[in-house]
Amino acid sequence: MALLEVSGLSTSFAFAHGAVKAVDGVSFTLEPGEILGIVGESGSGKSVTAFSLMNLLDPPGRVTGGSVRFKGQELLACSPRQWQALRGDRIAMVFQDPMMSLNPVMRVGDQLAETVLVHYRRTRAQAHAQAVDALARVGIPAPRERMRAYPHELSGGMRQRVAIANALINRPDLIIADEPTTALDVTIQAQILYEMKQLVRETGAAAIWISHDLAVVKDLVDRVCVMYAGRVVEQGPVAELISRPLHPYTRGLLDSLPTPAMRGATLRAIPGAAPALAALPPGCAFAPRCPRARPACAQIPVETTVRGRTLRCFYPLEAA
Ligand SMILES: Nc1ncnc2c1ncn2[C@@H]1O[C@H](COP(=O)(O)OP(=O)(O)O)[C@@H](O)[C@H]1O
Ligand SMILES: [Mg+2]
């Protein structure tokens, strides 16, 4: 059985003048130990997907359809009590801003210990020992001393490491990380990505890693979902997806990545801008920017499976 089975997940924001569909029929599965990347431009629905999965949406946001099965359990039907037991234990989330999961007025060691104690019967000393261990595992030097620090006494990179330690401390089965390294400088970002990969391998956890930058996650993830305007337009194993993109949007994303060979050359940006969700074209949302668009693209392409790849496109690039 898959660890996580998301099918047809849809989320809308309801406003007086109508609803905006931020996530529209998103489906994917995750096996234990697998790392899935969710990639797409800003505003494509990545965070709303993560928040929908974690039941962290605030009104007027609402999941309007679909199913999310975690080890067979329907998460969309969980009670607040069931969520309290799951979140921070079996499923953990890391946010772009580490302060979304850290308490500014509590010592780092105490908060990590607390994450253990709300879920497990341990002595304070045992929980503190676990916290020291978790800090060490995410590459925090002198973890014993760091236990007494408040979050504001740490650098951005160290703070994010603490948030990751807090997410990993109970050895969750699933970690959802929403652009956790986007605000950090590239060296720290690379370190954290590398360590994260080790940690996931070591603990056997599965992870969903969200990024607006395919270049950042390509060495971390096993598979990628490419999102555009709330829909997954292409999904597949990372190496194949990068070497042979089938969706014209994936192709455009890859063409806009810098490579060492083209130092100094101008990057080829995808012409046009991502559409506002309130004014989506009726069919394929990418059609207005797509070099391959034809009249059929005025319909929404259904998801099809082509050799281990899923695709929403009437005129994909040649697979050969
Ligand atoms: N709190 C909100 N209220 C209204 N609309 C929202 C809200 N959050 C997100 N949206 C809508 O959902 C879209 C996708 O947002 P998001 O998932 O945050 O994008 P990203 O891919 O950058 O993470 C936004 O462009 C916006 O239209
Ligand atoms: Mg986001």
Side-chain angles (χ1 to χ4, degrees):
M1 181 185 14
L3 179 74
L4 184 73
E5 217 172 326
V6 178
S7 79
L9 182 67
S10 297
T11 299
S12 289
F13 290 90
F15 298 106
H17 53 270
V20 166
K21 231 176 189 183
V23 172
D24 188 4
V26 165
S27 303
F28 58 82
T29 61
L30 198 58
E31 301 297 327
E34 200 177 20
I35 310 182
L36 175 75
I38 299 184
V39 169
E41 289 167 283
S42 168
S44 55
K46 306 182 297 297
S47 294
V48 174
T49 300
F51 278 61
S52 304
L53 294 177
M54 294 291 290
N55 191 34
L56 291 173
L57 280 176
D58 286 320
R62 197 172 67 85
V63 174
T64 54
S67 148
V68 179
R69 289 192 168 270
F70 174 72
K71 296 188 193 175
Q73 182 183 12
E74 177 54 73
L75 295 185
L76 296 182
C78 277
S79 66
R81 218 192 141 95
Q82 286 172 309
W83 265 113
Q84 267 171 27
L86 277 174
R87 218 186 280 127
D89 184 43
R90 294 305 85 220
I91 309 180
M93 182 148 174
V94 183
F95 302 90
Q96 178 168 345
D97 177 1
M99 294 316 288
M100 295 239 335
S101 51
L102 298 179
N103 182 337
V105 297
M106 204 172 167
R107 291 182 201 277
V108 157
D110 292 336
Q111 8 198 336
L112 266 64
E114 199 56 35
T115 305
V116 175
L117 292 171
V118 298
H119 293 285
Y120 296 93
R121 203 180 280 264
R122 299 268 193 281
T123 65
R124 212 145 249 291
Q126 286 170 329
H128 271 256
Q130 247 177 287
V132 173
D133 180 59
L135 291 177
R137 276 199 288 151
V138 296
I140 292 188
R144 225 168 275 282
E145 284 81 281
R146 286 289 159 283
M147 291 280 284
R148 300 191 53 78
Y150 288 95
H152 73 266
E153 296 175 310
L154 303 173
S155 68
M158 283 299 149
R159 225 177 287 157
Q160 192 57 284
R161 283 187 155 91
V162 171
I164 293 171
N166 196 32
L168 290 168
I169 196 162
N170 289 328
R171 297 196 167 245
D173 300 306
L174 172 64
I175 301 156
I176 301 181
D178 188 5
E179 310 221 32
T181 60
T182 300
L184 305 176
D185 75 57
V186 283
T187 325
I188 309 283
Q189 171 168 299
Q191 274 172 14
I192 290 184
L193 285 167
Y194 175 78
E195 287 157 7
M196 196 70 197
K197 187 159 188 162
Q198 307 285 102
L199 284 168
V200 167
R201 294 285 177 258
E202 209 176 288
T203 60
I208 296 176
W209 196 281
I210 293 174
S211 178
H212 64 277
D213 192 344
L214 185 51
V216 165
V217 294
K218 69 177 183 357
D219 298 323
L220 173 74
V221 304
D222 302 304
R223 272 187 309 127
V224 184
C225 283
V226 178
M227 286 192 73
Y228 190 82
R231 297 181 194 129
V232 174
V233 295
E234 180 165 10
Q235 174 177 183
V238 64
E240 293 166 34
L241 185 130
I242 286 179
S243 63
R244 277 184 318 176
L246 298 182
H247 198 287
Y249 176 64
T250 312
R251 179 53 176 279
L253 270 188
L254 288 164
D255 284 347
S256 65
L257 294 182
T259 62
M262 50 184 290
R263 196 179 293 267
T266 315
L267 294 174
R268 271 197 291 159
I270 303 172
L277 290 183
L280 275 193
C284 170
F286 186 59
R289 299 169 81 185
C290 183
R292 300 171 71 81
R294 283 177 250 177
C297 305
Q299 305 290 317
I300 297 175
V302 293
E303 210 162 55
T304 53
T305 304
V306 191
R307 270 165 279 137
R309 206 86 68 91
T310 67
L311 205 58
R312 275 187 193 268
C313 184
F314 293 114
Y315 304 107
L317 298 152
E318 292 310 321

